[in-house]
Amino acid sequence: NPLIIERILDIRDHPPEHLQRTPGPRAIRYYLERDPTLRAASLRLPRSTRTIWQILRAYDRIALPPLRQHVPVERPDPMTSWELDFQDVSTIPAEADGKQQHVVEVLNTIDVGTSILVDSVVRPDFTAETTIQTVVETFRTQGLPQCVTIDRDPRFVGSPQGRDFPAPFVRMLHCLGVQVTVCAPRRPQQKGFVERYNRTFKEEGVQREQPRDLGAARELTENFRQHYNYERPNQAITCHNQPPRVAFPALPLPRQLPATVDPERWLEVLDGQRYVRKVRANGTITVDERDYYIGSAWAGKYVSVRLSATERSFQIEYREQMVKRLPIKGLIGERLPLDVYLNQMVCEARHQTLIGRPIGHQLRLPLEMLATAPTGAATMSKN
């Protein structure tokens, strides 16, 4: 009835009885049933809120959101850009006297350009140290990508509170010539390819097979990796509804790990970066877990610390005034053999795990490796 439609629109435009919000279909139906004019006319009122919604929509009282156009993500070249993430095997029960959650985890590596599952490693002991070891082994077998995307997991970036200097894992990637992208907080869509694989692995693998121990989890992971890469049709644009390894039967030759590494290459990445520090009462500040003396006259003040890669120093500024230049501590000054450098990163990550926070850029080598390490490396270990 036109009278009912008119009353519906009037209630929508002018909320009755001091209602301090725009009434929806359910609230409008409530007021219609109490309207004396409509009751006196014995009109048949709508009993479905959907009918009221359709009337509001027809008279432009409800605006539908605009259609979103899908913009495909530009894919990089095959095997050049990887995303890494941890996935919990949630069906494995907690240990009686051990870990109560994340008992067993999988570190998944997805290639963005092809959606290929590059590697999938199952471990019960993922720490900052073992994460470096696992990723390095993936580099050895699968090659070195040009860029890697990670989230802010402490095993990747350091302490849960965050740190403005790169943790051992990030510094290792910089020194190996790999560009690192760290996702913003609570933005999992920034590594959407590995997140999508995690969901697939969880729904089609873990929840179906229900592994209850480490051995079953490893068997499931290996079988699912084969299934995902070679058998399961993938709806990604690049795969054309084919399994990733079927869509990409021939991959480019992988970039190999270098024989030697410049352990200070990360300085070039951070060149010009500024960090704010508060000077302690004793006149010192801490940068990368190392103390630097500024002067007791600056106690209690906040200073700006700018990293200069060319001078290999920190430039301390206060209100745009240069206060002091301080050489960066702990630098080696020469290239290291790959295994020596990787051992350095593992040792730093081990200490990070033991004390619960990053220890900074320190070289700690086992005694058996000091005999073959370059002079600079041995000197740094003593420092």
Side-chain angles (χ1 to χ4, degrees):
N1 188 288
L3 182 61
I4 295 178
I5 295 177
E6 179 182 352
R7 184 58 182 142
I8 288 175
L9 299 179
D10 183 61
I11 294 174
R12 178 75 171 187
D13 298 336
H14 306 93
E17 300 181 3
H18 308 291
L19 184 66
Q20 300 300 315
R21 61 180 176 85
T22 300
R26 294 180 64 183
I28 292 175
R29 185 179 66 177
Y30 168 78
Y31 289 119
L32 286 177
E33 294 172 349
R34 300 174 66 248
D35 188 279
T37 303
L38 298 179
R39 294 173 63 181
S42 300
L43 297 176
R44 185 172 180 271
L45 302 179
R47 291 178 293 177
S48 171
T49 56
R50 179 174 178 80
T51 303
I52 299 176
W53 186 93
Q54 291 175 339
I55 293 173
L56 295 175
R57 176 71 186 94
Y59 287 87
D60 298 326
R61 294 315 194 270
I62 294 179
L64 294 179
L67 293 177
R68 294 189 300 175
Q69 288 187 339
H70 175 66
V71 180
V73 177
E74 184 177 353
R75 294 293 190 102
D77 294 334
M79 304 304 287
T80 60
S81 179
W82 295 354
E83 293 180 353
L84 278 64
D85 196 21
F86 292 99
Q87 171 73 11
D88 186 24
V89 185
S90 56
T91 58
I92 297 181
E95 300 173 354
D97 300 321
K99 298 172 68 175
Q100 298 301 303
Q101 56 182 350
H102 309 303
V103 179
V104 172
E105 293 176 284
V106 186
L107 178 56
N108 293 317
T109 304
I110 289 286
D111 177 55
V112 177
T114 62
S115 296
I116 289 175
L117 177 61
V118 179
D119 206 355
S120 189
V121 181
V122 184
R123 295 187 67 143
D125 59 344
F126 271 118
T127 61
E129 172 191 356
T130 57
T131 297
I132 289 180
Q133 295 171 335
T134 300
V135 173
V136 167
E137 185 60 29
T138 299
F139 289 162
R140 292 187 190 275
T141 58
Q142 305 296 329
L144 200 62
Q146 295 180 7
C147 55
V148 164
T149 300
I150 55 176
D151 58 19
R152 295 177 178 267
D153 190 294
R155 292 165 290 193
F156 289 142
V157 300
S159 63
Q161 295 77 18
R163 53 187 272 131
D164 43 17
F165 257 70
F169 178 80
V170 176
R171 187 163 60 250
M172 177 195 71
L173 294 179
H174 287 324
C175 293
L176 292 176
V178 179
Q179 179 183 344
V180 183
T181 299
V182 181
C183 299
R186 296 178 294 277
R187 291 294 185 272
Q189 65 272 22
Q190 294 180 356
K191 53 179 180 63
F193 294 93
V194 69
E195 290 284 353
R196 184 63 185 87
Y197 172 78
N198 286 345
R199 175 181 168 185
T200 299
F201 177 66
K202 176 182 178 181
E203 294 178 351
E204 301 180 18
V206 175
Q207 292 181 351
R208 287 181 176 272
E209 298 296 331
Q210 299 281 317
R212 304 297 291 177
D213 54 41
L214 178 60
R218 285 177 170 162
E219 181 180 1
L220 163 66
T221 302
E222 183 59 31
N223 293 338
F224 194 83
R225 177 181 176 182
Q226 176 73 16
H227 168 69
Y228 176 86
N229 279 336
Y230 291 93
E231 301 170 357
R232 180 185 181 274
N234 195 306
Q235 277 75 51
I237 294 177
T238 54
C239 293
H240 305 290
N241 201 35
Q242 302 177 90
R245 288 308 301 264
V246 175
F248 295 90
L251 295 175
L253 292 176
R255 189 165 61 118
Q256 300 300 318
L257 287 168
T260 61
V261 179
D262 178 6
E264 273 81 63
R265 187 173 181 177
W266 61 275
L267 292 175
E268 302 174 7
V269 181
L270 300 181
D271 186 35
Q273 292 279 353
R274 293 180 179 271
Y275 311 94
V276 177
R277 295 291 187 273
K278 184 178 181 180
V279 183
R280 302 189 190 92
N282 61 0
T284 63
I285 61 173
T286 298
V287 183
D288 196 23
E289 302 298 327
R290 291 177 178 272
D291 292 338
Y292 293 84
Y293 182 74
I294 308 299
S296 56
W298 303 97
K301 292 181 170 53
Y302 287 89
V303 296
S304 173
V305 181
R306 187 172 71 87
L307 187 147
S308 173
T310 55
E311 299 180 6
R312 301 199 168 205
S313 67
F314 291 126
Q315 298 180 1
I316 313 300
E317 300 176 358
Y318 178 73
R319 294 183 179 177
E320 300 183 358
Q321 174 188 356
M322 179 67 68
V323 174
K324 186 176 287 190
R325 282 186 174 87
L326 300 172
I328 299 177
K329 296 181 180 181
L331 301 184
I332 300 175
E334 60 183 337
R335 298 183 69 88
L336 296 177
L338 176 64
D339 290 340
V340 174
Y341 172 74
L342 294 178
N343 187 76
Q344 166 189 338
M345 294 294 99
V346 169
C347 290
E348 291 189 18
R350 181 182 304 127
H351 284 272
Q352 170 184 325
T353 302
L354 290 176
I355 66 177
R357 61 191 179 94
I359 65 167
H361 189 51
Q362 301 179 28
L363 179 63
R364 288 181 170 84
L365 301 178
L367 293 178
E368 61 271 16
M369 296 193 66
L370 288 178
T372 59
T375 305
T379 302
M380 185 177 175
S381 67
K382 297 176 183 178
N383 294 338

